[in-house]
Amino acid sequence: MSSNPTHITAPDGTPFIEVIREFDAPRDLVFRASTEPDLVARWLGPREMAMRVIEYDARPGGRYRYVHAAPDGAEYAFRGVFHTVSEPLIIQTFEFEGAPGSVSLESTALDEIGGRTRMRHSAVFPSVAARDQALAAGMERGINDSMDRLAELLAAGAVRPGR
Amino acid sequence: MSSNPTHITAPDGTPFIEVIREFDAPRDLVFRASTEPDLVARWLGPREMAMRVIEYDARPGGRYRYVHAAPDGAEYAFRGVFHTVSEPLIIQTFEFEGAPGSVSLESTALDEIGGRTRMRHSAVFPSVAARDQALAAGMERGINDSMDRLAELLAAGAVRPGR
């Protein structure tokens, strides 16, 4: 691939990660794909992982928990709560159960421009070290896979308006 | 007062604020005072403000919302959700409704040492600018008042064990 359509920035010495990606789909479909558990399970995470959703209650105060299963059988569980779920904005906490107590806060904002949608996802960690640890654990590849898979899901027409 | 028992650090150019304070009370009482709405309402916020709790459901996924009323009648509302509530740790989101969308993540950890309790409270904001804005709005005085009022509440025997 000549150029990566997902732009990830993680300035040295800061606890921030920012991800920007455009999708060739209207905003309501990207929002729907980001809040409905059956759809989230089809794109979130590294491509080789199977995602099992335990709960995914996308409303303020709702909780989520899911497990990523690797081909070798290893499992990785994640959990959090939603603070804001109001199109075009989602704000939620995020914790990898393998590193308990290190909780980050994630924000996903969607802008629609001429039928296309620009996603701006940002995460802030409780320390610079925690951010660096997440990057070292391969977070960037997981983000790239997720964004590509979401684009593919939208292109395949798997996300329908209304319901 | 010769020295402030509340230690606040907010390094330049970072989105962090850290608060350390010791209380002459066992950990379970400090935890109780930090999670029961009737008690929280008696110490959280600047001394001259009256606090009205709308909801305060201190458990994972529980929401809170409260209003601080100033003597001049001005009101300031705050809201968030709890991610972790498990003695000795509380992790929650925090949003001032006057600055919607700028959500911070707060962590309160309690260590008991010989019947005394050391509180380590940390907050991380979504940007350095948002942290600086909170400081400029008088956050430090609110923190100092809150910590002093909590120490007074504990010293007065207003927080009882068990129940």
Side-chain angles (χ1 to χ4, degrees):
Chain A
M1 199 158 62
S2 58
S3 74
N4 186 345
T6 301
H7 299 276
I8 302 176
T9 51
D12 280 350
T14 76
F16 302 119
I17 294 176
E18 188 178 81
V19 180
I20 292 179
R21 169 82 184 224
E22 280 191 25
F23 299 98
D24 189 16
R27 190 178 80 180
D28 64 315
L29 297 195
V30 181
F31 186 78
R32 180 176 292 260
S34 302
T35 50
E36 292 189 8
D38 293 351
L39 295 171
V40 172
R42 294 173 68 180
W43 64 264
L44 186 63
R47 205 177 275 280
E48 77 279 8
M49 297 268 189
M51 178 169 166
R52 192 168 76 245
V53 176
I54 312 300
E55 64 178 323
Y56 209 89
D57 184 14
R59 58 184 177 83
R63 297 187 291 186
Y64 71 87
R65 182 166 188 263
Y66 58 82
V67 176
H68 277 141
D72 67 2
E75 295 202 332
Y76 306 90
F78 303 86
R79 69 163 68 225
V81 297
F82 292 96
H83 175 97
T84 299
V85 182
S86 180
E87 190 178 337
L89 184 64
I90 303 164
I91 300 177
Q92 68 202 88
T93 62
F94 175 88
E95 182 176 20
F96 169 43
E97 293 183 5
S102 178
V103 180
S104 56
L105 189 66
E106 306 194 334
S107 168
T108 303
L110 303 174
D111 290 308
E112 185 174 310
I113 307 155
R116 290 175 61 84
T117 299
R118 181 174 178 272
M119 175 186 286
R120 182 176 167 274
H121 177 84
S122 59
V124 56
F125 288 76
S127 67
V128 177
R131 197 282 312 257
D132 288 346
Q133 196 163 25
L135 287 175
M139 187 176 186
E140 280 190 75
R141 193 178 64 78
I143 292 169
N144 279 316
D145 276 9
S146 295
M147 295 294 100
D148 289 346
R149 295 173 72 200
L150 175 52
E152 290 159 18
L153 195 70
L154 291 160
V159 185
R160 305 283 170 80
R163 99 164 163 182
Chain B
M1 201 158 61
S2 58
S3 74
N4 186 346
T6 302
H7 300 277
I8 303 177
T9 51
D12 281 348
T14 76
F16 302 118
I17 294 177
E18 187 178 82
V19 180
I20 293 179
R21 169 81 184 225
E22 279 191 25
F23 299 98
D24 190 15
R27 189 179 79 180
D28 63 316
L29 298 195
V30 181
F31 186 78
R32 181 175 292 260
S34 302
T35 49
E36 292 189 7
D38 294 351
L39 296 170
V40 173
R42 295 173 67 179
W43 65 265
L44 186 62
R47 205 176 275 281
E48 76 280 7
M49 298 267 190
M51 178 168 165
R52 191 169 75 245
V53 176
I54 312 299
E55 64 178 323
Y56 209 90
D57 185 13
R59 58 186 176 82
R63 296 187 292 185
Y64 72 87
R65 181 167 188 261
Y66 58 82
V67 176
H68 277 141
D72 68 2
E75 295 201 333
Y76 307 90
F78 304 86
R79 70 163 69 226
V81 297
F82 293 97
H83 175 97
T84 299
V85 182
S86 178
E87 190 177 337
L89 184 64
I90 303 165
I91 300 177
Q92 67 201 87
T93 61
F94 175 88
E95 181 175 22
F96 169 43
E97 293 184 4
S102 178
V103 180
S104 57
L105 189 67
E106 305 194 333
S107 166
T108 303
L110 304 174
D111 290 309
E112 185 174 310
I113 308 154
R116 290 174 61 83
T117 299
R118 181 173 179 271
M119 176 187 285
R120 182 177 167 276
H121 177 83
S122 59
V124 57
F125 288 76
S127 67
V128 176
R131 197 284 311 259
D132 289 346
Q133 194 163 25
L135 287 174
M139 187 176 187
E140 279 191 74
R141 194 178 64 79
I143 291 169
N144 280 315
D145 275 10
S146 295
M147 296 294 98
D148 289 347
R149 295 172 72 199
L150 175 52
E152 291 159 17
L153 194 71
L154 291 160
V159 186
R160 304 284 169 80
R163 100 162 162 183

